[in-house]
Structures are given as C-alpha cells and as structure tokens.
Amino acid sequence: MEYISTRGNVEARGFIDTVLMGLADDGGLMVPVQIPQISAETLAEWRGLSFQELFLEIFSYYTNDEIPYDDLKKMVNTSYANFRAPEVAPLHKVNDSLYVLELFHGPTFAFKDVALQFMGELYSYIAKVRGEIIHILGATSGDTGAAAIAGVRGKEGIKICILHPHNKVSKVQELQMTTVDDANVLNLSVNGTFDDCQQAIKELFADLDFKGRYHLRAINSINFVRILAQTVYYFHAYLQLPADIGKINISVPSGNFGNIFSGYLAQRMGLPIGKLIIATNENNILERFVLTGEYKPGNFVGTHSPSMDIQVASNFERYLYYLLGEDAVKLSAYMSLLKTDGKITVEGELLDQVQKDFGALGVKNQQCLDIIGKYEQEYGYLLDPHTACGIAAYEACSTPEDITVTFATAHPAKFDESIALTGIQQEFPEPISRLFSLPQHMTVVENDLEQIVGELKAFF
C-alpha cells in the first residue's frame, strides 16, 4: 500500500512516512493509492472479534508490515487498556430502529480518544525506532486537543502544542487541556475561531522549511491515520448488530468532515452502509453542500454544540477527490477556485452522487435542546448536544423501516452549559468534577501568525 496526495504532486509514500508528513507537502491530503476491499465472507469472519482484534485486522491492510505485528498489537492493547468500557465502544439500543454507539468511554470522555490514544502510542513508537524528534502541532474545536494531550503527555521525545479558540470551547473541554502541567505540553488560546486556529496550522505545515526545521507532525484529521483509526468503529458498530441486519444508516455529528469521511472510507471498503447522514449545527456548510451542491463558508455562529462550530471542513477535500474520480488535476482546480472565489459548486451527476452518498441536517439550537429533553424523558437516555444533533438528523433522514446507528461523540458532562438549559441536572463523573479544583496553564495569544510562531519557537 502506498499513499499519494489529493493534489497529485507528492511522490508515493509508505505508511509511516505518510503519518509523519500529515498534511501533504503540496497542500493536499494523503490518501491510499487504492482502497482495500473487504469481502462479505471476511466481514462475517470478523464477527465476534474484540475491538482491539478488529483494529489489527483493518490496519493490516494499510501498514505494509512496516510495523511488526507484535509491536502493533502491543500499541493497540496499550491504547485501549484505560477505556472505561471493555467493549471500547458499546452499542446501546434505544428503540427498534435506533442504536447509539457510545464513543465516549476513553480518558477524556470524547470520541477523539479512540484515534488519539493510538496515535500517541504510534508517535512514541516512531520516535524511538527511528530516532525522530516529534513536535505535534494541532488545532481543536474542543475535543481533539484534550484527547491529543492525553495521548502524549509525559512521553519522551514528543512535545505537543494545541491551539484552541479562546472562550469558544466548553469549560470542561478547556479544563481538560489546560490543567495539564507536563513540560511537553503547550496550550495556546487564540482570540479567534476554530477556523482561525486551523488556518494557522495549515499555513505552518505548508511552510516546508519551518515544518522541517521544527519537526512538525500533525494530529488533526488531516493525518490519514486519524481517519483510519476512526474507520474501525464503523465496522465495530455493524458487527455488534444481528448477522442478518443488511444495510444500515449511520448518523454522524461532524463539523470538520473527518469522522464522516471515515465512514465513507468504510463504505468504500465494503461495509454495508445504506446512507451516511451528516449532522451539523447552525454552522451548516456541509448541509448546504449536500442539499444544493454549493460549498461556501458562511458566518460563524456560536451554538450549543461548540465542537461543530466550524465553517471550513478540512477533510472535505478527501471526499471531493473521490467524487471527482480520483482526478488530482480536477481536484486542484476546484481547490484553487475555493481560494479565489470563496466557494465550490457541483452540479448535475456530481450533485446526484453527493445526494446518494449522504443525507444531511443542520440542527437549530432550540431543536438540539428539544431532542435532549425528549430522549431523556422518553428513554431515560441523556445525550450531549452533538449527539442530539445526530439524533435529530436520524429522525429527519431515516424511515421507521431503516436501522440507524447514531454516534454518541461525547459524554454529556462535557457540555453541562447546554444540558442545564433543558432543566436537566446531571451528576459529573469524578474525573471531570476533579478538574474544577486544578490550576490552569495556557497562554492567550492574538489571531496573529507571527505571535503564534514566536510561542512555538520558544517552546520547541
């Protein structure tokens, strides 16, 4: 298996070199030269595997044996040893047509733990076997930062800097990042939006001299290994359902298109997914793209689901590459158009294909709260606001005959500001309650690349 850039100007790389590159050197995103096909027979053989065993099976198609099996197995087992659920991601039946895959049983109570606990182990392994210096640089709308820091804090040979938008993440998300006092962790709180943080990251990775001199590595979903690790739980969800289930729909809260693209990859690999449903909030660029074919960033809106308060979905480029028939020239032309005109439009057969691939719903703030109240009252099941958006999208885009799995992307305690608006009082898990008594460690900076670079140089 080799990996190439969506924009076609990077020499094919192996698995580890792809991990280390993160954002492709030509500004594109790395993708596999071909997507492995999983037969129905193989899928049946995987039924009954543990999450860890399934992870090893799927990764074996992508790693080219660059990591000895025993080393990979040790990393996987270490990554998921501290999850609170033995299944890693248990499947909860809500009613006859709806299941919820709980992805919040990792150390930071969010779905990002599933990929980032492994990425922390992987980067640590690469640092040791290759003698590499690993300086991780990432941006977060809330959950990636905490999960990334939890994955690498205190690890030898690794430093991590995370940018987050100042006062635009939940208090628990902020505390999970900023109460970490390890010497290898730097939190920069940027006076701006997540899109501003993400743009700074992209500019720094695009500066190949700076990237090389400071050994920058990516932990955001621009890194293909994040996408691949998330693909595992799509297979895991399906394989927990009855063997005769047929095709299922999957509703995914998604702001940056990474999680939903993992589902698209799983579907392309052969997982029987009927429709992937994109759940967004009032920052609804993805819903507008699916409904109209226009991809155009709009005005930022603060919502009850802040991890999806995103206008520029960085993983959208990967999907567009496949939509355009894996034509890097066409893809590059579209991305140039986005830069010059501020939008991309697809029409005709391309739009028809988009609407075959996805359903979508941009959930309004009050609708999100109403769903939280409804499911707590009717089923005794408390949803975080992002999962509530996923449930609202399930209700809008599925029929009663469909079987739909909605991803629960975070524990509700991470977003008590939103839950409290419904009148529901919840009890915090002890690890989250403890955060409020700890001192914080972060540096507030302006949305200014020069100032951010200065902080990075001093840290690295």
Side-chain angles (χ1 to χ4, degrees):
M1 174 70 72
E2 290 186 317
Y3 298 84
I4 56 175
S5 170
T6 51
R7 301 191 191 182
N9 295 311
V10 171
E11 184 179 346
R13 304 296 177 99
F15 177 75
I16 290 179
D17 286 337
T18 296
V19 172
L20 292 175
M21 182 178 289
L23 183 72
D25 287 347
D26 62 357
L29 298 176
M30 299 298 282
V31 291
V33 171
Q34 67 276 333
I35 296 176
Q37 298 301 297
I38 309 302
S39 68
E41 293 75 20
T42 298
L43 198 59
E45 290 172 2
W46 286 354
R47 192 168 293 277
L49 293 183
S50 69
F51 185 91
Q52 293 88 333
E53 290 167 339
L54 183 60
F55 191 106
L56 288 166
E57 290 289 338
I58 291 172
F59 264 66
S60 70
Y61 287 86
Y62 289 90
T63 58
N64 309 312
D65 294 325
E66 293 179 40
I67 303 172
Y69 180 82
D70 287 345
D71 291 347
L72 185 61
K73 183 177 180 180
K74 182 179 179 182
M75 278 188 273
V76 171
N77 288 338
T78 300
S79 298
Y80 302 110
N82 59 350
F83 276 60
R84 292 177 299 279
E87 311 95 322
V88 178
L91 191 66
H92 175 83
K93 183 176 181 179
V94 178
N95 57 43
D96 288 342
S97 67
L98 175 65
Y99 293 77
V100 172
L101 187 72
E102 295 182 343
L103 295 168
F104 53 73
H105 292 281
T108 70
F109 295 82
F111 84 98
K112 303 292 178 74
D113 289 322
V114 179
L116 290 172
Q117 281 293 298
F118 173 74
M119 280 192 75
E121 292 297 319
L122 179 60
Y123 270 137
S124 182
Y125 174 85
I126 293 171
K128 290 175 184 175
V129 300
R130 285 202 172 186
E132 293 272 354
I133 297 171
I134 303 289
H135 289 164
I136 296 171
L137 180 60
T140 186
S141 54
D143 285 331
T144 289
I149 289 168
V152 303
R153 61 180 298 185
K155 281 186 164 55
E156 188 176 346
I158 301 178
K159 288 187 175 182
I160 183 169
C161 174
I162 296 294
L163 280 62
H164 73 268
H166 189 54
N167 291 333
K168 292 184 176 69
V169 300
S170 79
K171 189 60 181 178
V172 170
Q173 288 176 316
E174 179 187 296
L175 289 171
Q176 285 182 320
M177 291 185 282
T178 62
T179 56
V180 175
D181 193 24
D182 293 69
N184 72 328
V185 175
L186 173 66
N187 283 291
L188 295 182
S189 185
V190 179
N191 276 317
T193 66
F194 168 74
D195 291 320
D196 295 326
C197 297
Q198 183 168 252
Q199 181 60 34
I201 297 298
K202 286 185 174 181
E203 289 185 30
L204 292 174
F205 274 96
D207 184 340
L208 300 186
D209 179 64
F210 186 86
K211 178 182 177 182
R213 188 187 319 152
Y214 290 97
H215 311 282
L216 298 187
R217 309 301 181 203
I219 206 156
N220 286 74
S221 54
I222 58 174
N223 196 316
F224 180 76
V225 76
R226 266 280 300 274
I227 298 297
L228 183 57
Q230 292 173 170
T231 298
V232 176
Y233 53 67
Y234 283 82
F235 284 89
H236 176 67
Y238 178 82
L239 293 170
Q240 291 183 75
L241 292 166
D244 60 352
I245 199 71
K247 288 188 175 183
I248 62 170
N249 294 343
I250 302 184
S251 181
V252 185
S254 185
N256 210 20
F257 212 88
N259 202 356
I260 196 74
F261 183 80
S262 294
Y264 179 76
L265 178 63
Q267 186 182 48
R268 292 285 296 255
M269 289 173 68
L271 191 65
I273 298 174
K275 179 159 281 192
L276 289 161
I277 302 169
I278 303 172
T280 63
N281 57 28
E282 294 185 36
N283 296 283
N284 62 341
I285 181 173
L286 298 178
E287 179 198 33
R288 285 185 279 113
F289 173 70
V290 172
L291 297 181
T292 70
E294 182 182 73
Y295 179 87
K296 181 181 179 180
N299 295 322
F300 172 86
V301 179
T303 73
H304 299 317
S305 48
S307 293
M308 298 191 298
D309 288 350
I310 297 170
Q311 284 290 340
V312 182
S314 62
N315 270 282
F316 174 74
E317 180 169 337
R318 280 190 171 108
Y319 172 68
L320 187 60
Y321 172 77
Y322 288 105
L323 179 65
L324 297 172
E326 303 177 45
D327 188 325
V329 174
K330 287 183 180 179
L331 183 281
S332 297
Y334 269 95
M335 298 312 294
S336 294
L337 199 62
L338 179 62
K339 189 173 183 179
T340 58
D341 293 5
K343 67 177 182 178
I344 291 171
T345 303
V346 300
E347 300 172 321
E349 292 182 0
L350 290 179
L351 180 56
D352 290 343
Q353 186 60 52
V354 170
Q355 293 173 348
K356 288 178 183 176
D357 291 336
F358 301 111
L361 180 70
V363 181
K364 302 296 185 183
N365 265 336
Q366 188 58 49
Q367 184 181 7
C368 172
L369 299 182
D370 291 345
I371 288 286
I372 292 171
K374 172 184 175 181
Y375 277 74
E376 199 279 335
Q377 183 177 32
E378 293 186 7
Y379 300 103
Y381 193 73
L382 185 58
L383 308 168
D384 95 283
H386 305 79
T387 308
C389 290
I391 296 290
Y394 141 76
E395 290 189 348
C397 300
S398 294
T399 70
E401 293 74 33
D402 294 330
I403 300 297
T404 301
V405 174
T406 296
F407 288 168
T409 52
H411 191 288
K414 296 196 73 170
F415 301 96
D416 194 54
E417 299 96 327
S418 300
I419 302 295
L421 295 174
T422 68
I424 297 171
Q425 293 185 332
Q426 60 176 318
E427 185 175 339
F428 283 10
E430 192 277 332
I432 289 181
S433 295
R434 188 171 63 243
L435 294 171
F436 290 86
S437 64
L438 299 176
Q440 291 183 250
H441 310 275
M442 67 178 177
T443 301
V444 179
V445 297
E446 296 305 313
N447 178 29
D448 177 81
L449 190 62
E450 187 175 342
Q451 186 178 357
I452 291 169
V453 166
E455 295 291 342
L456 290 174
K457 288 180 176 178
F459 177 57
F460 291 147

